[in-house]
Amino acid sequence: MTAPARAFVTGAGGFVGQHLLPLLLEKTGWQLYCNAHSHKHTSKVEGRIRWVHCDLTNVGQTSEVVGQVRPDFVFHLAAQSNVQVAFREPEATFMTNVVGQLNLLNALRDTSPKAHILVPCSSEQYGMVWPRDIPIKEDTQFRPNNPYAVSKIAQDAQALQHFLSWNQCTIRIRAFNHIGPGQSDHFVTAAFARQIARIEAELQEPVLLVGNLEAERDFTDVRDMVRAYLVGIQHGQAGEVYNVGSGKGYTMQWILDALLALSTVRVEVRHDPARMRPSDIPVLVCDATRFRTCTGWQPHIPLEQTLKDILNYWRVKVKSETEAVTRNM
C-alpha cells in the first residue's frame, strides 16, 4: 500500500492557515505536518495533523524538521504580513520573511528536492502602479512603497532563483487582498467589523475610527484564496508566477458602507491620523487571466457574503470576550 503524500504547512496557525487546513483535510488524503507559533512548545497529533516546532529563522531547527518530515508539498504561509508593523520593525520583517524562507528552501533542496513549494507573494509588491497598468499583470513593474512589499519581492525573487539554480519546484502566487472570518483586526476590514460589533454590544461609543477610505483594492474571500493555493500547488507550472484575485476593485469607503448597512446601530465615522500609512497605494486591481487559464480557478463567494461572515464572526468573538471578562470579575 502506497503511503499518503506529506504536506508541510508553515504558519499553519495564522489566518490563512486556519482556512487551508480544513480544505486540505477535505480535499486530499495527505498527511499534514504543521508549524505554528501557537504550538511552538509542543509536538502533538490531531488526526491527520501533526504539529511540529520549527523557528524558520534558525537554520538548525529548520533543517532538522524538514529532514524529519520530507514533504512532497509545502505551503509556506509563515510571514510577517502587517504593513504598519513592517514600517516599525523592518529588520524583524526581513528576518521572518526573507531569512526564514531562505532557510526553508535550502533545507528542502537538501532533503526533499522534488517537493512542490507554494510561495504566497503579495500584490503589495507592485506598489505605486501607474493608472495605465490597471488591471495589474504579472509583468507589471514593481514600485514598492513599504518594507513589507520589499520583503515579499525578495521572497518572490528567491523562489525564482531556487527554481533556476537548482530546479526546485517553486510556484509563486501574488495574492491580492484576501479577507474573511478569523482575520486579525490589524487589517482594515476586520478593524471596521470589530468596532461595529463593539458598538452594537455597547462596549464603546458609537464612533468608528478609519484611515484612508479612498484606496481601491481587489478583495477575495480567504476561503476562495486557499482553494487557489491548493489548485496552484497541484496544477501550477514550476518556476511560474501567478496573480490571484477577483479582478474587481472596491474602495474602502464601499467596504465601510456595506458593513455599516449590516449594522443594527447608527455610527459616526471619524478619520484617525494614526490609522493612515506613511505611504499608501491608490489602486490595486488584479488581472488573474494566467492563473485562471492554467487552473480553471474562479472565486465563488460574493463579497457581500464575506462581509456578513466577517461581521458575524466579530459579533460572536466580542460576546465571548465580554462573557469571559464577566466570569472573571
Side-chain angles (χ1 to χ4, degrees), residues 204-277:
Q204 72 178 61
E205 62 177 328
V207 175
L208 194 149
L209 300 177
V210 302
N212 178 17
L213 296 179
E214 296 180 0
E216 183 177 338
R217 295 291 182 266
D218 184 324
F219 292 98
T220 300
D221 192 292
V222 66
R223 292 161 289 193
D224 281 327
M225 188 60 71
V226 295
R227 284 196 304 105
Y229 287 0
L230 177 56
V231 298
I233 207 169
Q234 291 174 319
H235 303 293
Q237 182 178 338
E240 188 58 275
V241 61
Y242 303 96
N243 285 343
V244 176
S246 71
K248 300 176 182 178
Y250 296 86
T251 65
M252 297 314 305
Q253 182 70 64
W254 189 97
I255 296 292
L256 176 60
D257 290 344
L259 284 168
L260 289 176
L262 297 170
S263 176
T264 60
V265 296
R266 293 181 62 86
V267 175
E268 176 188 348
V269 176
R270 289 183 191 169
H271 284 270
D272 178 9
R275 294 172 186 263
M276 301 291 286
R277 293 184 183 181

Side-chain angles (χ1 to χ4, degrees), residues 19-35:
H19 292 278
L20 178 63
L21 295 189
L23 179 71
L24 296 181
L25 289 173
E26 177 189 356
K27 298 295 185 180
T28 78
W30 301 343
Q31 176 68 51
L32 307 181
Y33 293 81
C34 300
N35 178 52

Side-chain angles (χ1 to χ4, degrees), residues 301-316:
I301 303 173
L303 181 55
E304 293 82 359
Q305 183 62 52
T306 304
L307 296 176
K308 287 181 184 179
D309 292 347
I310 292 171
L311 183 54
N312 286 333
Y313 165 83
W314 280 104
R315 284 168 171 158
V316 172

